[in-house]
C-alpha cells in the first residue's frame, strides 16, 4: 500500500489538521489519520460502500493494524462493556462528511490521488 505509507505528503497540505478541526465533541476513539488511511484502503480495495469497509475492518485484524484501529472496550449507558474492533458506520460517515467539507470535488481528488 504505497499510498498509505506516504501519508507524510498530506502533512504539507494540512489536510488532516483541517479535518481534525471539524471534529465535534464526544468520544474520539480513533485518529483522523486512521480514518483517512481506511478511506484510502476503501478506494484501493475497491469497496463500493462504507458498510463493506467496516465489515472488513471488523473481520481483518491486519487491515485494522494498517489503518491504526486498535481493539478496545467502551462502556455502554447501562454500565456494561462492549469490545470494539473498528469505528461504527456512523462514525465513518461523520468522517466522510468532514473530509468532503475540506476537499473540493472529493471523487475527482480521490481518482487522481489514489491509483489502484
Amino acid at each position: 500500500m504505497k499510498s498509505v505509507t506516504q501519508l507524510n505528503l498530506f502533512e504539507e497540505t494540512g489536510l488532516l489538521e483541517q479535518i481534525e478541526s471539524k471534529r465535534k465533541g464526544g468520544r474520539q476513539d480513533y485518529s483522523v489519520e486512521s480514518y483517512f488511511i481506511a478511506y484510502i484502503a476503501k478506494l484501493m480495495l475497491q469497496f463500493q460502500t462504507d458498510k463493506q469497509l467496516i465489515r472488513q475492518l471488523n473481520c481483518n485484524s491486519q487491515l485494522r493494524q494498517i489503518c491504526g484501529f486498535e481493539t478496545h472496550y467502551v462502556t455502554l449507558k447501562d454500565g456494561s462493556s462492549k469490545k470494539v474492533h473498528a469505528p461504527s458506520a456512523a462514525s465513518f460517515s461523520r468522517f466522510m462528511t468532514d473530509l468532503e467539507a475540506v476537499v473540493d470535488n472529493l471523487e475527482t481528488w480521490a481518482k487522481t490521488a489514489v491509483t489502484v
Side-chain angles (χ1 to χ4, degrees):
M1 291 188 142
K2 184 177 179 183
S3 297
V4 172
T5 60
Q6 294 181 346
L7 275 180
N8 59 337
L9 296 174
F10 293 107
E11 291 174 10
E12 296 172 10
T13 65
L15 176 66
L16 298 178
E17 290 79 13
Q18 290 176 51
I19 298 167
E20 182 69 48
S21 71
K22 295 206 167 288
R23 288 178 104 173
K24 308 287 188 277
R27 256 190 12 243
Q28 296 182 5
D29 296 336
Y30 305 111
S31 70
V32 168
E33 185 176 278
S34 293
Y35 282 103
F36 189 77
I37 294 170
Y39 171 68
I40 299 298
K42 176 186 171 188
L43 298 175
M44 294 181 74
L45 296 170
Q46 300 179 354
F47 293 138
Q48 299 300 310
T49 66
D50 293 347
K51 278 188 169 187
Q52 289 174 311
L53 171 65
I54 300 301
R55 188 177 314 118
Q56 192 64 17
L57 284 167
N58 278 306
C59 295
N60 187 330
S61 63
Q62 292 172 331
L63 181 59
R64 282 195 307 274
Q65 184 178 18
I66 289 168
C67 294
F69 296 123
E70 295 183 16
T71 299
H72 63 283
Y73 289 88
V74 295
T75 303
L76 303 176
K77 290 180 181 179
D78 66 2
S80 62
S81 296
K82 177 182 175 183
K83 191 175 191 178
V84 179
H85 295 291
S88 66
S91 295
F92 195 78
S93 176
R94 282 190 298 273
F95 166 77
M96 290 303 301
T97 299
D98 292 345
L99 180 60
E100 290 166 350
V102 171
V103 177
D104 293 329
N105 201 350
L106 181 60
E107 190 172 323
T108 301
W109 176 85
K111 287 179 183 176
T112 57
V114 179
T115 54
V116 181

